[in-house]
Amino acid sequence: LAHGASASPEMTRMLERIADYIHTRQSRLPDGTLCRGRTLWIDDLYMSVPFLARWGTYSGKPEYWDDAAKQIINFASRLQAEDGLWYHGWFDREQRHSRYKWGRGNGWAVLAQVELLGQLPKDHPERPKLLGILDRHVQGIAKHQAESGMWRQIVDMEDLWEETSCTGMFAYALARSSREGWVDLDGGAAARKAFDALKTRVLWDGSLMDTCVGTGVNNSLDYYRERPRMLNDPHGPGPVLLAGAELLREQ
């Protein structure tokens, strides 16, 4: 549907059912923030916001754009640190965030922001606030790129290992947000450096190395440090393809 295709009646009913569930029935905090049992997982922004944003465009119903914008703003108010990076989770009963700024979690958050801004009308009242959140995020991400061009499992910890899925996500987000003029940063050079580094993690048969497996919110640094790095873990190839496609578009 994002590329001009038309939905069949059956597909439309299915999409309407998904949109209704996210918009009216999924668990939320009292202020309307989507949650899992009174906790926020940074990952969930990508599992909800892009759909809401695209459904708002397809259906012509602005309440879905409004809901998507609210999620970014509310998540950021709890999880975005002063340096622009985001913590992995929020525990609402304790009114505190988790301890670490996980790489792919920050990737999910920045992808959700970019996808929303790509759908949101230019005159949407929350657009300036969303642009500010994104600018702070990409500025924080850019400061922690390793000399190799990669980003790490915990973004702001130099002694942790370099991880491919977050590197692909960051490369895409920096390149696109820079090209669109959404941020005060020339992200193209950082994205190209990242993609050159990612190419060294691809084997002769196309397999991708050094992708962290699925990861829950945790307050132990060793938990993140010791997460398995799977060959061709499904979280990895998509972000690398996204980054490559955006850099081709830039050319």
Side-chain angles (χ1 to χ4, degrees):
L1 301 182
H3 301 284
S6 58
S8 67
E10 293 80 10
M11 184 181 293
T12 298
R13 287 196 294 272
M14 178 189 70
L15 293 171
E16 287 173 340
R17 184 175 181 180
I18 294 169
D20 177 69
Y21 183 88
I22 297 173
H23 191 54
T24 67
R25 292 190 287 153
Q26 171 61 30
S27 299
R28 294 179 182 243
L29 298 180
D31 67 354
T33 308
L34 294 167
C35 66
R36 311 187 193 191
R38 299 295 296 275
T39 64
L40 305 185
W41 291 32
I42 196 173
D43 323 37
D44 293 344
L45 277 183
Y46 190 75
M47 316 312 164
S48 56
V49 166
F51 181 89
L52 290 169
R54 292 189 178 199
W55 186 248
T57 299
Y58 185 80
S59 68
K61 296 178 179 179
E63 58 264 33
Y64 292 100
W65 290 324
D66 297 343
D67 198 7
K70 176 169 66 178
Q71 299 312 315
I72 297 290
I73 292 166
N74 288 0
F75 267 69
S77 71
R78 294 171 170 91
L79 295 176
Q80 190 169 29
E82 290 185 6
D83 64 0
L85 298 176
W86 293 44
Y87 293 99
H88 191 180
W90 171 263
F91 306 102
D92 196 62
R93 289 187 176 89
E94 302 168 32
Q95 289 292 292
R96 66 174 180 88
H97 55 69
S98 60
R99 295 179 62 184
Y100 299 109
K101 300 162 185 175
W102 180 44
R104 189 162 66 239
N106 275 265
W108 291 130
V110 77
L111 286 188
Q113 294 170 71
V114 168
E115 290 300 312
L116 174 56
L117 287 166
Q119 300 292 325
L120 204 64
K122 296 292 190 293
D123 61 351
H124 192 278
E126 299 290 15
R127 193 175 183 90
K129 187 178 293 185
L130 294 166
L131 288 170
I133 292 169
L134 176 64
D135 187 66
R136 290 193 299 276
H137 200 175
V138 298
Q139 299 282 353
I141 288 167
K143 290 175 183 176
H144 292 286
Q145 187 173 25
E147 184 60 34
S148 67
M150 299 283 289
W151 277 273
R152 298 177 179 86
Q153 168 76 340
I154 301 295
V155 182
D156 58 348
M157 291 192 171
E158 295 184 3
D159 60 335
L160 264 76
W161 49 279
E162 296 174 354
E163 203 272 337
T164 49
S165 68
C166 74
T167 297
M169 291 172 169
F170 294 163
Y172 168 74
L174 265 66
R176 184 174 178 193
S177 59
S178 180
R179 176 177 60 80
E180 299 273 12
W182 294 335
V183 295
D184 186 20
L185 175 76
D186 180 6
R192 289 188 292 274
K193 184 177 181 180
F195 198 73
D196 285 342
L198 285 170
K199 289 186 287 187
T200 70
R201 309 299 174 103
V202 178
L203 300 179
W204 65 271
D205 63 352
S207 297
L208 182 67
M209 301 186 293
D210 295 331
T211 300
C212 178
V213 299
T215 296
V217 177
N218 201 284
N219 283 320
S220 166
L221 180 58
D222 285 342
Y223 170 80
Y224 291 96
R225 190 195 308 274
E226 296 168 6
R227 296 302 288 159
R229 296 173 241 185
M230 303 297 293
L231 188 66
N232 277 340
D233 181 90
H235 296 93
V240 175
L241 291 171
L242 269 178
E246 179 60 31
L247 289 170
L248 285 172
R249 189 172 184 179
E250 181 186 69
Q251 293 176 9

